Amino acid sequence: MTQTVISVDHVVQNYGKSVVLHNVDLTVEKGEIIGFLGPSGSGKTTLVKTIVGMNRPKSGSVTVHGIPMPSLEAVKSIGYMAQSDALYEDLSGMENLMFFARLYGMNRKEARQNAIRVLELTELHFDAKKAVKFYSGGMKRRLSLCIAMIHNPDLLILDEPTVGIDPVLRNIFWKEFKRLSSLGTTILITTHVMDEAEHCDRLAFIRNGEITAIGQPEGLKILSGQDTIEGAFLYYGGNGEAIS
């Protein structure tokens, strides 16, 4: 029996006079890895922020675990990695992780155990004592992922988590995402990298603030008559209609 974790119902989102999301509907089930695929400016990040509760919809509604967003109660179960890193640069990587873990109410022993685990996963364990201001851009992205995962959330929302990450480490990340999914963690990932899309259980193509197509990667390719995800994405036009 499926269990709905995220429900987006007729969501419209504005920035000033500009409509950024147009009547978006979406449901995401427990343990599913769903990818939002679209170019920069398509509305991916706005939709993610609305689901997390950072933006209140102009109209429509969003629920997480049946709780209307925004909600502090629901946020406790979410691991969120933003597109921009929000880190304390004068603290070390480990100190950043311990700080955020304590915010989530974890005791020191559990926080340290989890910190060591995620640092090893992202291959930051050798730099754990280094101040973040000396980290490269890619290292900061990896630390942001660590923070999102530190409290073992049952919903991970990751906004372009592999930007600046080398292919070997990106493959390690995806193995971990698959492992977490198999244990029941729901994962929402935004990306504009086509080959990553193949790893998702379902894909939502987003263009001009609308979901133009949604389904399993292979199914989207078959329905569009294309051999690649990129071809399928181009096939489904910005207005939700197939284009030749």
Side-chain angles (χ1 to χ4, degrees), residues 191-211:
T191 184
H192 55 257
V193 180
M194 298 294 170
D195 63 346
E196 282 196 338
E198 300 278 2
H199 294 290
C200 298
D201 298 316
R202 279 195 306 154
L203 283 176
F205 293 158
I206 301 180
R207 295 278 292 270
N208 301 322
E210 298 181 11
I211 294 180

Side-chain angles (χ1 to χ4, degrees), residues 92-153:
S92 69
M94 176 61 83
E95 288 169 336
N96 267 274
L97 284 169
M98 293 297 289
F99 172 78
F100 284 102
R102 298 306 292 272
L103 284 183
Y104 282 113
M106 300 172 66
N107 63 50
R108 180 169 292 276
K109 180 179 179 181
E110 182 185 13
R112 186 163 184 83
Q113 288 175 340
N114 282 13
I116 291 170
R117 176 180 58 82
V118 293
L119 284 166
E120 289 179 348
L121 171 70
T122 58
E123 298 186 359
L124 280 176
H125 48 297
F126 293 120
D127 298 291
K129 296 181 180 179
K130 183 188 295 185
V132 170
K133 62 186 175 184
F134 298 117
Y135 279 21
S136 67
M139 291 169 71
K140 290 177 180 178
R141 293 304 287 159
R142 285 146 61 188
L143 183 59
S144 292
L145 178 59
C146 288
I147 291 169
M149 299 171 65
I150 187 70
H151 59 301
N152 297 319

Side-chain angles (χ1 to χ4, degrees), residues 66-77:
I67 302 170
M69 299 297 286
S71 163
L72 288 176
E73 180 185 353
V75 164
K76 293 176 183 178
S77 67

Side-chain angles (χ1 to χ4, degrees), residues 4-13 21 23-28 36 43-72 74-75 78 155 157 188 211:
T4 299
V5 174
I6 300 170
S7 178
V8 179
D9 186 22
H10 297 296
V11 162
V12 174
Q13 191 62 273
L21 297 176
N23 203 36
V24 174
D25 288 308
L26 177 73
T27 58
V28 183
F36 289 176
K44 300 189 306 295
T45 294
T46 298
L47 181 53
V48 162
K49 287 182 175 180
T50 303
I51 292 171
V52 172
M54 296 174 67
N55 296 336
R56 191 181 296 272
K58 182 71 173 179
S59 64
S61 64
V62 175
T63 63
V64 172
H65 297 302
I67 302 170
M69 299 297 286
S71 163
L72 288 176
V75 164
I78 299 173
L155 172 58
I157 298 181
L188 188 159
I211 294 180

Side-chain angles (χ1 to χ4, degrees), residues 150-213:
I150 187 70
H151 59 301
N152 297 319
D154 58 21
L155 172 58
L156 271 175
I157 298 181
L158 311 174
D159 199 353
E160 300 193 3
T162 60
V163 170
I165 304 300
D166 69 76
V168 173
L169 196 53
R170 189 169 63 178
N171 188 52
I172 291 172
F173 285 6
W174 273 100
K175 285 183 178 179
E176 178 64 8
F177 297 157
K178 291 283 190 180
R179 185 188 73 83
L180 291 172
S181 172
S182 71
L183 296 175
T185 302
T186 307
I187 303 176
L188 188 159
I189 294 179
T190 75
T191 184
H192 55 257
V193 180
M194 298 294 170
D195 63 346
E196 282 196 338
E198 300 278 2
H199 294 290
C200 298
D201 298 316
R202 279 195 306 154
L203 283 176
F205 293 158
I206 301 180
R207 295 278 292 270
N208 301 322
E210 298 181 11
I211 294 180
T212 61

